[in-house]
Every structure is written in C-alpha cells, then in structure tokens.
Amino acid sequence: MLSAWLCGFGAYWGVALLVSWFTPYLTEGLGFSQAQAGWLSTAPWALSIVTAISGGWVSQRLIAAGASSRVARGVFGGGLVAIGGLALLALPFVQDRILQFALLVLGLSLGSVIYAMQTAIVSELTPVNRRGGILAIGTAVCQCPASWHRW
C-alpha cells in the first residue's frame, strides 16, 4: 500500500501540474495559439480516462491468467507510473514541439492507472471495517501534498 500511495502521490502531482500549468505551457512554452491550447489541453484528460479504465481491465485479466496481485496491481500499475515519469524526464531532451506535447500527454496520463490499483490493493489487504480509514489516509498521502504548490 505504501508503494501504491507513493505512486499515487506522483500521479496526483501530475494532475496538479495539469490543472495549473499545462495550458500556459502549451501557449508560452510550446508556442501553440490560445485556441489550439484550449483544444489540446483536453488530450491528457481523455487519455487518463482510457488509461484508468483499460489499466484496471488489464490488471483483472492478468489476475485471471494466474498472475499474482503483486504483479498485476503493483508492478503493472507502478510500471505505468514510472513510464509516465520517464516521459516527463525525457521532455527537456526533445526539440520537436509535437513530440514534446506527446511526451507531456503520456507523462501526465499514464499515472492515472494507479487510482484504480490503489482501491483494489486496499480491498485485498485491509479488513472490511478498516477500508474507509485506509482509503482516507491514502487520499491524504496522495492528494494533499500534490496541492501544496497552490498555497
């Protein structure tokens, strides 16, 4: 659960960047017009929906195929968060603005798979009467620090 919370922290940090920084970066950093940036700013949100839903489906398929929960939830979910982080780390080394945009979208979207994984991990490891408290702690660990930059 601690690893899932750390991955969740990174994913929520990406959401905080997406909300506060993404559109201005598209206009000022990558040179897109305001109208273009408005349309392009929907891409990470749309891909996040696809990633979260398909990631949960793939995880369930892995478990049905005999993979352990540690692999199907932890390695798979954490791996996608890590790939998203690597995409963001590669950003300064790319010159083409379309490729930079693609790396940004990938980096800010892949982490959303961990939201589905966290709930599944909590349900597997925590007794029913403790799940609400553990989910609240996970929310505090993951979401609250990611929003500190706004203070």
Side-chain angles (χ1 to χ4, degrees):
M1 275 193 287
L2 293 176
S3 296
W5 288 347
L6 289 173
C7 286
F9 173 79
Y12 277 113
W13 194 271
V15 170
L17 288 175
L18 191 54
V19 169
S20 63
W21 170 81
F22 188 70
T23 306
Y25 182 73
L26 290 178
T27 57
E28 296 172 25
L30 297 182
F32 289 103
S33 71
Q34 189 66 41
Q36 290 171 321
W39 285 104
L40 292 173
S41 65
T42 62
W45 299 106
L47 186 58
S48 290
I49 292 168
V50 172
T51 302
I53 293 171
S54 62
W57 181 81
V58 169
S59 176
Q60 282 301 109
R61 298 291 296 166
L62 287 170
I63 287 185
S68 71
S69 178
R70 186 178 304 254
V71 169
R73 311 240 194 262
V75 174
F76 175 68
L80 285 178
V81 173
I83 291 169
L86 290 173
L88 293 175
L89 287 173
L91 190 63
F93 304 104
V94 175
Q95 299 303 316
D96 181 58
R97 77 178 186 156
I98 302 301
L99 188 53
Q100 286 178 329
F101 173 74
L103 287 172
L104 275 171
V105 170
L106 203 63
L108 296 173
S109 301
L110 285 180
S112 64
V113 74
I114 203 66
Y115 310 141
M117 299 301 132
Q118 286 176 331
T119 306
I121 290 167
V122 167
S123 72
E124 291 175 4
L125 299 177
T126 308
V128 173
N129 63 342
R130 303 275 186 216
R131 287 183 188 162
I134 295 298
L135 288 169
I137 291 168
T139 299
V141 168
C142 297
Q143 289 179 337
C144 293
S147 64
W148 289 350
H149 76 281
R150 289 183 264 172
W151 295 353

